[in-house]
Amino acid sequence: MGFYSRNILPYLLDWAMSDEHLAQYRKQVLANVQGDVLEIGFGTGLNLSYYPEHIEKLVAIDANPGVNRLAQQRIHQANVTVDYRVLNGEQLPMADASFDSVVSTWTLCSIANVEQALREIHRVLKPGGRFFFIEHGLSKDPGIQTWQNRLTPLQKVIGDGCHLNRNIRDLIAQQFDTVTIDEFYGEGLPKVAGYLYQGVATKAA
């Protein structure tokens, strides 16, 4: 991981992802989270203030050690206890069936082996556990798709592996039998990067 990813990108992400419209989506995604919780792609901790009050502890992971400085500032101010670890979502050390809820917000776009990461999410969920997510990805509009495909190679460089053109619905459906997803263009976002997938996937009981 280079200088840009560790020292510059975390501040760019924190600024870009602090948008007020994105905050509303965070609230919606986190509203029904419960039990033992794992957050994949914790980033700078922007989700912390939106967790329900009954959540007392959170296990949070991120593969980029550069976000730690900003994340710790929010962790110290949070009402929830955070067990923060620098880990890759593709290889989780947690035991099978450890969590009631797993959360991912704008993270699946940048995991290199996203299929493996989703297998890991499914593995660590308890039977009946739920995966709560909001992600950006492949639009249904062929014209937007063309630009997403064209720009993804550049986006991967400036966004630390971020893909604009992943079909999040199909990726999640490969691992979960029960998936509820809303697809829409995010308010105030450019269409090429703002086609959003918001939903919940449930592990069979």
Side-chain angles (χ1 to χ4, degrees):
M1 185 170 290
F3 179 85
Y4 170 78
S5 295
R6 292 178 63 117
N7 298 284
I8 297 175
L9 182 65
Y11 291 91
L12 294 176
L13 285 176
D14 192 66
W15 170 75
M17 301 305 292
S18 296
D19 181 86
E20 61 181 334
H21 299 304
L22 302 187
Q24 295 301 315
Y25 300 137
R26 294 180 195 277
K27 290 178 183 179
Q28 295 169 15
V29 169
L30 296 170
N32 295 313
V33 171
Q34 61 183 8
D36 297 316
V37 184
L38 170 67
E39 182 174 335
I40 304 287
F42 185 67
T44 61
L46 286 168
N47 284 339
L48 272 178
S49 59
Y50 304 113
Y51 275 97
E53 292 183 0
H54 62 263
I55 300 299
E56 298 180 354
K57 183 178 179 180
L58 167 70
V59 178
I61 73 164
D62 200 285
N64 185 347
V67 300
N68 182 56
R69 191 179 306 110
L70 292 170
Q72 288 300 329
Q73 296 175 13
R74 292 192 172 96
I75 289 171
H76 291 318
Q77 298 169 359
N79 294 322
V80 58
T81 300
V82 180
D83 178 359
Y84 177 82
R85 311 180 195 182
V86 179
L87 289 173
N88 192 313
E90 300 160 354
Q91 296 178 322
L92 299 177
M94 297 81 172
D96 295 357
S98 296
F99 297 96
D100 300 287
S101 303
V102 176
V103 171
S104 170
T105 60
W106 295 286
T107 295
L108 298 181
C109 63
S110 59
I111 299 177
N113 189 343
V114 65
E115 293 89 351
Q116 175 61 23
L118 285 163
R119 284 193 290 270
E120 284 288 271
I121 289 170
H122 186 273
R123 179 184 66 80
V124 300
L125 276 171
K126 298 176 182 178
R130 293 182 292 174
F131 173 41
F132 299 84
F133 59 89
I134 183 163
E135 303 286 348
H136 73 102
L138 187 69
S139 169
K140 286 186 175 180
D141 182 337
I144 300 299
Q145 286 182 9
T146 297
W147 281 103
Q148 288 179 317
N149 292 329
R150 287 175 178 170
L151 293 174
T152 286
L154 174 62
Q155 177 69 6
K156 287 167 64 177
V157 174
I158 64 176
D160 201 23
C162 175
H163 294 67
L164 298 170
N165 58 354
R166 283 183 169 168
N167 189 320
I168 301 300
R169 177 184 290 273
D170 287 355
L171 287 166
I172 293 176
Q174 289 175 17
Q175 295 300 320
F176 291 87
D177 293 328
T178 304
V179 185
T180 301
I181 299 182
D182 290 327
E183 298 181 35
F184 55 95
Y185 286 108
E187 187 175 355
L189 301 176
K191 287 188 175 182
V192 71
Y195 190 77
L196 303 182
Y197 297 75
Q198 179 177 332
V200 181
T202 305
K203 183 174 180 177

